[in-house]
Amino acid sequence: MSSTTLASQALDHSIREIVARNIHAARQNRGLTLNGLSEMSGIGKATLSGIENQAGNPTIETVWQLAKALDVPFGQLVEGEGNKRTVVSKGVTATLIDNQTAPQNIETYLLEIAPHTTHKAEAHMLDVKEHIVALRGHVLVGDEVAPAYLRPGQTHSFAADTRHIYRSLDQAVTAIVTVVYPIAQKGRLSLFDQARAWPHTDDEWLGLHLQVARLKLEVSQGIEAARLSFDACELAKPEILSRLGSVIVDDSDFQSSVQTFALIDVQPVLLILARPHTPHLLQSAPAASPSLQAAVALSNRANSLWKALEDDEIKKLNQELQHGDNVIAALAAEVLTRHGRPSVPARIKPKQVGEKVKRSSLDDGVSFEDRIDVDAYAAYELVHPAYARQSVAIANHLAFHCQSGEHRLLDVGTGPGLPLQMLLELNPALQATAVDPSTVAFQHLCRLFKDDKRVTPMQASITDIAFATDRRFDVAVSVGASHHLNTSHFLQATHRQLKPGALFLVADEMIAPFSNGGERNANLIAHHLQYVVDTMVDLPRNVLSEAELVLVDLVRQHAPLAIFEARSGNVAPAANRCRVLLKNLHKLCLPEPISHELLAFYRFHLLELEALVAGLDYEVEQKTYPQRFAELAQHAGFEVCTHSRLYATHGVSEWDGGTHLFVLKALA
C-alpha cells in the first residue's frame, strides 16, 4: 500500500526519527552513498541528507520511493521497536499492524482515509501485490485508469508494481491493506541443474564419476555451466568435501578446459563452469629494449598454458619474483600462478593507510574511495590477473609507434600509480603528467613518484582540466579508468588534450555485450568473479588468523555459486549473494601485514567484490562492452587502430568480457 499525494502531506513528526534512522541504516547496508541513492530514487541529495538528519519533511510517497530504490519493504523503513507504527499524512492514517518476514515479506496495514481524498501511488517493486478489504465507507482502489469500486465487506487484489490509487467518496474509509512481496528465488533450479541421491555403494560412486565426466564434457563443448546437487547426507562437512573432491580431481595428462568446485550450499553441490581462454600473444616491437623484450616474453609465457613449465624455467621465474622492477616480478608471479604454482611478487607490501579525508555528505559526485579501499588497492592489485600485462602491451605498442625521442605522455586516471610505474620501467624516456581525481589515490601517487622528475601528478578529473592548446600531448594512456566516469566524456576530454594523430592507449576491464539491466548485471557478476575463481589458490590454514580463515572460506564458498547463478539466469539471487558476501567480509578485522604471502590473492578478491557491488549500484564502476567502447571512441573523434583481449573472463569472442586493450588515434 502506498500513498500520497502532495509534497505538503508530510510524515507526522513522531515518526521522522524512526524513518531517518531506518533509511540511513538501509542505505549503509547497501553500501550506497547519498549520491547513489539520489540517482536510484530520483530524490535530490540535499533532500536525502535532510531526511537522514531529521531536518527534512518527507511525504509518505518519498518513503515509498526510497523503499523501492533500496529494494526493501516499506515497513522496514517505518517500523520502530514495536510492531505497531502509525504513519500520518494529510487525509491518511496508515498503521502497520503486522509485518511477516518469512517465508516472504507480507505487511498488513489499517488504512483510514478522510472523505473526498485521493491517494496516488507510484509503482512498487516488481511483482508486489496488494489485497484490500473495505471495512467502512466506499472506496475506489487499484489501477488508476480503471479502479475497482468496493463497498464495506468487499475485497480486491491487484498488481502494485504499476501506478494505482485509493480514492474515498462522501464517507471516510477504513480498510485492511495487505502488501505481499515476491519470494526471493534463491536456489531456483534451472536448465543447468541436475539432482541425485548421495552415493553409498562402490557402484554408485562409480556412477557418479561417470556422470561428472559427462557433465565436464558437456560444459567443455559449450554449455555455460552445470550444477549437480545431492540429497543431504549424514557425513560431516569435511568428509563430504573430501569425497566430492576426489570425484572432481582430473588425473589425465590433458589440461582441463573447465573449472570444477565441490561446495556445500545447504546441501552438497558440484559446480562445473566453462573457463574462457583466448590466448593473446604479443609480437615484440623491433625497437623494444631488452627489458621490454623480456616482459613481452613473460607475458606470452603466461598465456601459453598448453606448454608445461620446465624445471630450469621454474627456477628462473622464482628468482625473478625478487626482481627490482615491479613489472618483471609481477609477470613472473603470474606465469607461475597460471601454471599451477601460486606465487606473488616480493614487491607486495602491507597496506599503507593514507590520511583520512573529510568530505561533506553533499559533495558533488562519488569518488573512487567512497566505494573502493584505495589503500588496499595500492597494496594488492599487483596480483590481479593480467594487471602487469596491460602495461607491457601499452609499452610494446608505444615502441611500435613512438620509436624515437622523448614523448610527453598524459596518464588518465592513473590511480595509485602502479601501472604508470611499470610503464616507465619499460620506457624510461617518457615524461608523464598523471591525472587522477581521488584524494587517497593522489596521496599514493605523490608518494610513489616523489623523487621521479619524469612524473607530474595532478589531482583532477580529465573532464575538468583545461590545458593550453600549445601543451597538447604526444600520447595518452589509461589503465583501468575508462569506466570510473562517463566513458563518452572521458574519451572526448582526452581527445581535447592530444595533438592530431596522437595515440590514446586504453587498457581496461569490459564485460560481455548487454542490452538491458538484467544482462548487464549477469555479465558484470560473471566477469568480476572469474578473476576471483581463477586465483582462489590453496594456502596453509594453520598460519592464518581467524578473520583470514573466514575470508578464505566465504570467498571459496560463494564466488563460484554466484557465477553459476549469474550464468544460469538467476541474476537477482547472484547479486544478493555478492552483496551479502561483501557485507560479511567488511565485518572482518583483517590483520596487516597478511599472515601468508598467498593471502594477497584473497585481499585482492575483496577489492574485486567491492568493484562488483559498486558496479551493480552503478557508482564509480560503470562498465561497458568492447564494441560499445569502440563506438564511443569513434564518436569522440578517434580511429580504432587495434583492439585485443588480453585476458578472457566471460564469453568466447575477442569482443566478450575480460581485460581489453584499445589503440586509438586522435583525428584532426
Side-chain angles (χ1 to χ4, degrees), residues 148-222:
Y149 173 70
L150 301 183
R151 298 183 179 88
Q154 293 185 318
T155 65
H156 179 58
S157 299
F158 59 93
D161 54 5
T162 60
R163 288 170 60 97
H164 50 285
I165 65 167
Y166 292 85
R167 178 179 296 157
S168 61
L169 301 176
D170 294 337
Q171 299 175 315
V173 170
T174 302
I176 296 291
V177 177
T178 303
V179 184
V180 181
Y181 295 84
I183 297 177
Q185 295 182 333
K186 182 178 179 181
R188 182 168 62 91
L189 294 181
S190 68
L191 295 174
F192 301 85
D193 276 289
Q194 292 190 28
R196 60 164 293 156
W198 180 262
H200 296 284
T201 67
D202 289 344
D203 190 56
E204 288 173 343
W205 279 103
L206 176 60
L208 175 59
H209 276 271
L210 294 174
Q211 185 178 14
V212 170
R214 172 59 179 263
L215 289 174
K216 284 185 177 182
L217 180 60
E218 291 179 353
V219 173
S220 177
Q221 296 296 86

Side-chain angles (χ1 to χ4, degrees), residues 224 511-514 516-530 562-572 574-575 578 612 615-616 649-650:
E224 275 278 301
I511 63 178
F514 58 88
N516 58 60
E519 287 181 356
R520 187 191 75 91
N521 287 350
N523 295 349
L524 191 72
I525 294 167
H527 164 79
H528 276 291
L529 293 185
Q530 191 62 54
I563 287 185
F564 174 82
E565 289 167 337
R567 290 188 181 181
S568 61
N570 291 335
V571 184
C578 294
L612 168 54
L616 293 172
T649 58
H650 183 212

Side-chain angles (χ1 to χ4, degrees), residues 402-639:
C402 308
Q403 297 181 5
S404 62
E406 294 184 356
H407 296 280
R408 295 183 60 256
L409 177 140
L410 175 63
D411 186 330
V412 184
T414 189
L418 192 53
L420 177 58
Q421 186 183 49
M422 291 190 286
L423 180 59
L424 290 170
E425 289 171 354
L426 299 172
N427 194 331
L430 295 172
Q431 298 291 321
T433 297
V435 177
D436 195 281
S438 166
T439 302
V440 180
F442 186 70
Q443 292 174 2
H444 286 279
L445 186 64
C446 292
R447 186 163 54 219
L448 185 63
F449 294 111
K450 66 178 180 178
D451 298 322
D452 194 333
K453 302 301 183 184
R454 298 171 297 175
V455 178
T456 302
M458 177 182 294
Q459 186 181 355
S461 171
I462 185 63
T463 56
D464 296 333
I465 59 177
F467 292 110
T469 55
D470 59 349
R471 295 183 58 207
R472 295 170 81 181
F473 291 87
D474 304 306
V475 64
V477 300
S478 179
V479 178
S482 70
H483 54 273
H484 292 156
L485 66 163
N486 184 307
T487 304
S488 179
H489 295 176
F490 156 87
L491 289 162
Q492 293 176 56
T494 304
H495 185 276
R496 294 170 186 170
Q497 307 301 333
L498 295 175
K499 297 176 180 177
L503 295 183
F504 184 22
L505 297 98
V506 181
D508 211 343
E509 296 179 28
M510 298 180 193
I511 63 178
F514 58 88
S515 59
N516 58 60
E519 287 181 356
R520 187 191 75 91
N521 287 350
N523 295 349
L524 191 72
I525 294 167
H527 164 79
H528 276 291
L529 293 185
Q530 191 62 54
Y531 291 119
V532 172
V533 299
D534 282 350
T535 51
M536 290 194 320
V537 302
D538 293 327
L539 66 172
R541 298 178 62 86
N542 62 328
V543 301
L544 302 183
S545 71
E546 183 177 347
E548 289 170 331
L549 284 170
V550 174
L551 167 66
V552 171
D553 289 343
L554 287 177
V555 169
R556 295 180 71 92
Q557 167 77 6
H558 293 288
L561 285 165
I563 287 185
F564 174 82
E565 289 167 337
R567 290 188 181 181
S568 61
N570 291 335
V571 184
N576 184 64
R577 185 184 294 275
C578 294
R579 292 187 189 281
V580 173
L581 174 58
L582 180 61
K583 179 182 176 182
N584 289 333
L585 295 184
H586 275 162
K587 294 177 182 177
L588 301 176
C589 185
L590 297 168
E592 294 289 351
I594 53 180
S595 301
H596 190 279
E597 61 179 11
L598 292 183
L599 199 77
F601 286 110
Y602 289 89
R603 296 298 295 270
F604 151 66
H605 297 161
L606 178 51
L607 289 168
E608 203 66 17
L609 279 162
E610 287 179 340
L612 168 54
V613 173
L616 293 172
D617 292 335
Y618 226 63
E619 285 201 309
V620 307
E621 284 278 329
Q622 295 125 188
K623 285 183 169 60
T624 186
Y625 54 92
Q627 286 173 314
R628 183 59 180 161
F629 181 86
E631 292 174 353
L632 293 173
Q634 291 165 344
H635 173 73
F638 288 103
E639 175 189 350

Side-chain angles (χ1 to χ4, degrees), residues 11 98 139 305 308 323 485 539:
L11 296 181
D98 186 58
V139 62
L305 299 184
H323 201 283
L485 66 163
L539 66 172

Side-chain angles (χ1 to χ4, degrees), residues 349-363:
K349 296 179 180 179
K351 170 181 167 182
Q352 299 182 50
V353 180
E355 297 178 11
K356 293 296 182 183
V357 181
K358 293 183 179 180
R359 303 176 70 243
S360 166
S361 62
L362 297 183
D363 283 349

Side-chain angles (χ1 to χ4, degrees), residues 202-249:
D202 289 344
D203 190 56
E204 288 173 343
W205 279 103
L206 176 60
L208 175 59
H209 276 271
L210 294 174
Q211 185 178 14
V212 170
R214 172 59 179 263
L215 289 174
K216 284 185 177 182
L217 180 60
E218 291 179 353
V219 173
S220 177
Q221 296 296 86
I223 291 176
E224 275 278 301
R227 177 168 60 184
L228 181 59
S229 302
F230 299 83
D231 294 342
C233 66
E234 298 179 357
L235 298 177
K237 180 178 178 179
E239 180 67 15
I240 292 174
L241 295 179
S242 175
R243 294 201 178 190
L244 290 181
S246 67
V247 174
I248 64 177
V249 170

